[in-house]
């Protein structure tokens, strides 16, 4: 079965997904797009030879749309995810599922009312081969329990509209989800360390910062978020176990040796660094939609990440350790 896809908000991320669906991902066909900016919807519809819907409601309820991809910006996700659930359609929603835990709770309530999991959240790092190998080593027990994880999330630059709290709920949310998945447990507390600020930033930002999280069993995760590092998109992770250490390989690229010395190319953005992960997450989602099954990170994962972000944002604006507040997991997500 070819899954007929309707996409809401085909901007940078959405069109990157569409290009992969057109070229390297099997089993999906775009049938239409909608956007709050009708000019963008028209441009993208012409580029892909599909329908430009007047509204997300028209797209979601169109009988030719089997499944919905939501790639609009975070605050717009909730309404369209809930409308897709009410229409009984499977939905892939880019991260964040919604910007607050309260909004994610409303999405989970709609799913529980529908009685089945329809929502997959685009936490693509779970599909990255290097993180998967790291998890396989941890799960094998060969290096004992995880004691600490040191992460870094560096971006070349961010635009002026990147808000003061985005370092946590737009950027660190990737490590938050990946660490929940890697370690297989929830976080209970958050703290933010605020080192000397780079001069290469907009005034309203604390950049860099270090988010320090603790899990239920006491594993400590620190995440350096440095979004104006200038030199590249650099994602680092070192897991310290009781009898060994596992680190992500550097950039998944070859190493060059010449008269300059030994060096390798630095990736400049998420699409370059996580290309394979993006392909794998959407391929797995389309395969599952064709079987009418749920797969991948659920609305619960979106909610849990939002709860940790909420605590992290509180810790960013007030010094000290902040508790992560999270409801018990509803039976649908057990
Ligand atoms: P963008 O600004 O390039 O595209 C967003 C699009 O959504 C625009 O065309 C905009 O007009 C449209 N839009 C905004 N509000 C809307 C609404 N209410 N209804 C319909 N359309 C609406 O943004 P970008 O970078 O493509 O980000 C989109 C989403 O993807 C965000 O949730 C972002 O966090 C996520 N993202 C995920 C990444 C990842 O690594 N998984 C990387 C970059 C973005």
């Amino acid at each position: 079965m070819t899954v007929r896809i309707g996409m809401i908000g085909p901007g940078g991320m959405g069109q990157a997904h569409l290009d992969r669906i057109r070229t390297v991902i099997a089993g999906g066909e775009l049938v239409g797009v909608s956007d709050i900016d009708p000019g963008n919807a028209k441009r993208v519809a012409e580029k892909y030879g599909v329908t430009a819907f007047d509204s997300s409601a028209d797209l979601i309820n169109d009988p030719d749309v089997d499944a919905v991809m939501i790639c609009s910006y975070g605050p717009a996700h909730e309404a369209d995810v809930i409308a897709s659930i009410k229409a009984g359609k499977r939905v892939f929603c880019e991260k964040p599922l919604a910007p607050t835990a309260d909004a994610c709770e409303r999405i989970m309530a709609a799913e529980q009312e529908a009685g089945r999991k329809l929502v997959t959240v685009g936490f693509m790092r779970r599909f990255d081969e290097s993180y998967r190998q790291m998890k396989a080593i941890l799960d094998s027990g060969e290096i004992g329990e995880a004691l600490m994880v040191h992460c870094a999330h560096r971006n070349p630059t961010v635009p002026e509209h990147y808000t003061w709290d985005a370092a946590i709920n737009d950027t660190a949310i990737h490590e938050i989800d990946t660490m929940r998945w890697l370690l297989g447990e929830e976080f209970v507390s958050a703290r933010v360390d605020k080192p000397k600020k780079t001069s290469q930033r907009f005034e309203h930002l604390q950049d860099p910062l270090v988010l320090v999280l603790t899990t239920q069993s006491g594993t400590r995760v620190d995440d350096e978020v440095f979004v104006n590092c200038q030199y590249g998109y650099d994602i680092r992770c070192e897991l310290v176990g009781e009898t060994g250490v596992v680190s992500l390989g550097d950039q998944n690229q070859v190493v060059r040796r010449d008269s300059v010395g030994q060096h390798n190319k630095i990736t400049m953005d998420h699409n370059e660094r996580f290309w394979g992960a993006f392909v794998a997450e959407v391929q797995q989602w389309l395969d599952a939609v064709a079987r009418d099954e749920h797969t991948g990170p659920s609305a619960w994962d979106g909610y849990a990440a939002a709860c940790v972000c909420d605590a992290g944002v509180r810790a960013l604006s007030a010094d000290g350790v902040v508790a992560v507040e999270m409801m018990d997991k509803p039976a649908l997500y057990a």
Side-chain angles (χ1 to χ4, degrees):
M1 167 194 174
T2 298
V3 177
R4 296 169 303 171
I5 302 163
M7 179 178 285
I8 299 171
M13 195 66 244
Q15 289 185 58
H17 282 310
L18 292 180
D19 288 341
R20 288 184 282 260
I21 288 168
R22 192 164 62 168
T23 54
V24 294
I25 296 173
E29 178 196 356
L30 181 71
V31 294
V33 295
S34 68
D35 200 292
I36 193 120
D37 171 1
N40 189 51
K42 188 164 175 287
R43 273 191 302 278
V44 176
E46 277 168 8
K47 175 176 166 190
Y48 293 94
V50 298
T51 306
F53 288 97
D54 289 338
S55 69
S56 49
D58 287 353
L59 178 148
I60 290 165
N61 294 305
D62 192 280
D64 284 341
V65 170
D66 298 321
V68 181
M69 292 186 80
I70 299 178
C71 299
S72 56
Y73 89 131
H77 292 175
E78 178 189 354
D80 290 332
V81 171
I82 290 178
S84 302
I85 294 168
K86 290 204 163 131
K89 296 198 176 169
R90 297 203 176 272
V91 52
F92 174 95
C93 179
E94 256 310 333
K95 52 66 53 174
L97 175 57
T100 64
D102 287 351
C104 295
E105 274 187 45
R106 291 190 286 273
I107 290 171
M108 288 195 295
E111 255 192 341
Q112 288 171 85
E113 203 177 310
R116 57 193 187 128
K117 289 191 284 185
L118 292 167
V119 179
T120 295
V121 184
F123 286 130
M124 82 298 181
R125 288 204 198 170
R126 295 176 179 218
F127 297 86
D128 177 68
E129 191 46 38
S130 45
Y131 277 118
R132 290 177 90 94
Q133 287 182 27
M134 180 180 273
K135 181 164 174 59
I137 292 168
L138 178 63
D139 290 349
S140 74
E142 287 165 16
I143 59 165
E145 300 275 315
L147 306 176
M148 295 176 284
V149 192
H150 309 299
C151 308
H153 189 146
R154 301 188 189 133
N155 268 48
T157 57
V158 289
E160 192 164 10
H161 62 72
Y162 185 91
T163 52
W164 67 276
D165 55 341
I168 308 285
N169 55 27
D170 192 56
T171 300
I173 192 171
H174 280 295
E175 279 79 23
I176 290 168
D177 177 70
T178 310
M179 293 302 111
R180 289 182 59 251
W181 163 81
L182 178 72
L183 299 170
E185 53 178 336
E186 299 296 352
F187 288 114
V188 294
S189 71
R191 189 187 88 216
V192 175
D193 290 348
K194 300 162 193 160
K196 180 172 179 174
K197 297 174 189 173
T198 172
S199 59
Q200 310 286 316
R201 66 177 216 290
F202 291 107
E203 193 53 37
H204 63 282
L205 299 182
Q206 168 61 54
D207 190 38
L209 60 77
V210 182
L211 175 65
V212 182
L213 301 167
T214 308
T215 68
Q216 288 156 323
S217 75
T219 304
R220 177 193 188 274
V221 174
D222 52 84
D223 186 18
E224 172 204 308
V225 180
F226 185 13
V227 294
N228 291 285
C229 78
Q230 309 297 312
Y231 72 87
Y233 180 76
D234 197 4
I235 302 302
R236 310 181 76 85
C237 182
E238 180 188 65
L239 183 152
V240 182
E242 293 169 295
T243 60
V245 172
V246 198
S247 305
L248 292 187
D250 191 15
Q251 308 279 321
N252 288 335
Q253 301 285 338
V254 293
V255 175
R256 178 169 164 180
R257 199 173 164 78
D258 56 21
S259 58
V260 177
Q262 187 154 298
H263 52 116
N264 58 285
K265 184 172 171 285
I266 299 288
T267 57
M268 292 308 285
D269 69 20
H270 51 276
N271 277 311
E272 195 183 352
R273 169 64 180 82
F274 287 110
W275 170 268
F278 283 119
V279 170
E281 72 164 354
V282 175
Q283 184 66 71
Q284 183 178 304
W285 178 67
L286 286 172
D287 291 347
V289 172
R291 296 191 305 269
D292 196 21
E293 289 172 8
H294 180 268
T295 190
S298 66
W300 169 261
D301 294 309
Y303 164 78
C307 292
V308 181
C309 286
D310 284 356
V313 169
R314 288 203 305 278
L316 177 57
S317 54
D319 287 332
V321 177
V322 173
V324 175
E325 288 162 17
M326 203 178 286
M327 64 160 78
D328 291 337
K329 196 188 270 192
L332 181 65
Y333 306 103

